[in-house]
Amino acid sequence: SQQGEEDPQALSIQEGENATMNCSYKTSINNLQWYRQNSGRGLVHLILIRSNEREKHSGRLRVTLDTSKKSSSLLITASRAADTASYFCATASGAQKLVFGQGTRLTINP
Amino acid sequence: DGGITQSPKYLFRKEGQNVTLSCEQNLNHDAMYWYRQDPGQGLRLIYYSQIVNDFQKGDIAEGYSVSREKKESFPLTVTSAQKNPTAFYLCASTKGQGNTEAFFGQGTRLTVV
């Protein structure tokens, strides 16, 4: 079962612009995490936001969480060509396992 | 360096063969996971283990088997019962339960020939 659903499925922007990806989920969660995957590689953890937090920053990343709407957003500011990758949200609930969404494929055009 | 290692990186399987994918971690993590990823898709959970000698089925366990005899090792066997095994397989581990940061291996790409 896919808990998180990312939107859009694909996003293409110019270098320097901001990129926003959204994630919606269905059940209550302990936390929500965002991961990045370069083509043909494993996933790399970016940021974790707990259910009692509303916003979190890490460098050029900003994550928000709205538990009332069961949604989260990932904002990448001042995008770079190296940000080109797929981005996944993952949720953890009482089942104690991470469930991933389908991902957003981000392309940064130079 | 601490990390999680998958091998081999590429694996070819003939129809009807069983193959085993290796996953080893030296992070002293309790929980380990196997995911399957098809082209352009998200990750689907195959099996996970939260403690040695115990594991649970994920969403797509049919045609797969695992063992967890050692804390650092969680091999995945793709059996002949798995009718469409061609995919990218990812192993991950977490320190405790699934609500903590997951560390991933670099993946094994399995192709049926």
Side-chain angles (χ1 to χ4, degrees):
Chain A
S1 59
Q2 297 294 130
Q3 165 78 307
E5 295 288 337
E6 284 94 339
D7 169 59
Q9 290 189 347
L11 179 61
S12 180
I13 61 174
Q14 294 300 119
E15 193 167 19
E17 294 180 340
N18 295 343
T20 300
M21 289 158 271
N22 303 297
C23 170
S24 60
Y25 57 92
K26 297 183 179 125
T27 65
S28 61
I29 58 172
N30 294 330
N31 64 59
L32 187 142
Q33 304 177 35
W34 285 91
Y35 289 80
R36 166 196 169 120
Q37 183 183 35
N38 286 74
S39 181
R41 307 296 297 274
L43 277 70
V44 175
H45 182 263
L46 294 176
I47 197 165
L48 180 153
I49 186 165
R50 302 188 191 285
S51 59
N52 61 353
E53 297 176 310
R54 292 297 168 258
E55 187 170 313
K56 203 161 183 179
H57 295 256
S58 177
R60 293 184 296 113
L61 305 180
R62 172 178 169 253
V63 169
T64 61
L65 179 65
D66 187 336
T67 53
S68 67
K69 295 181 180 178
K70 292 187 169 57
S71 67
S72 173
S73 67
L74 170 67
L75 168 67
I76 304 174
T77 61
S79 63
R80 305 167 182 170
D83 293 329
T84 294
S86 291
Y87 293 82
F88 295 88
C89 68
T91 53
S93 63
Q96 302 172 353
K97 56 183 180 180
L98 276 179
V99 180
F100 288 81
Q102 297 287 332
T104 293
R105 295 186 302 280
L106 176 64
T107 302
I108 309 298
N109 302 302
Chain B
D1 287 335
I4 183 164
T5 302
Q6 290 186 240
S7 63
K9 188 171 181 179
Y10 298 97
L11 186 58
F12 297 90
R13 190 194 94 169
K14 292 183 179 179
E15 296 275 357
Q17 275 186 338
N18 293 354
V19 290
T20 297
L21 284 60
S22 171
C23 179
E24 304 275 333
Q25 53 98 0
N26 60 3
L27 299 166
N28 199 32
H29 284 176
D30 291 314
M32 298 185 74
Y33 310 80
W34 274 105
Y35 292 91
R36 169 180 172 142
Q37 186 177 33
D38 292 284
Q41 300 297 311
L43 279 66
R44 291 185 289 169
L45 184 63
I46 305 172
Y47 268 99
Y48 63 106
S49 167
Q50 294 178 326
I51 195 169
V52 174
N53 293 321
D54 187 43
F55 49 83
Q56 288 78 40
K57 292 181 178 180
D59 299 317
I60 56 165
E62 185 175 352
Y64 300 97
S65 66
V66 294
S67 63
R68 186 85 187 276
E69 297 176 1
K70 298 186 296 182
K71 186 176 185 178
E72 59 270 22
S73 179
F74 191 41
L76 172 74
T77 296
V78 184
T79 74
S80 58
Q82 171 49 241
K83 296 307 177 190
N84 185 23
T86 295
F88 190 52
Y89 291 87
L90 286 160
C91 180
S93 69
T94 57
K95 184 176 175 58
Q97 299 171 354
N99 55 359
T100 56
E101 175 187 352
F103 290 77
F104 280 82
Q106 290 302 303
T108 293
R109 189 167 299 280
L110 173 63
T111 304
V112 173
V113 296

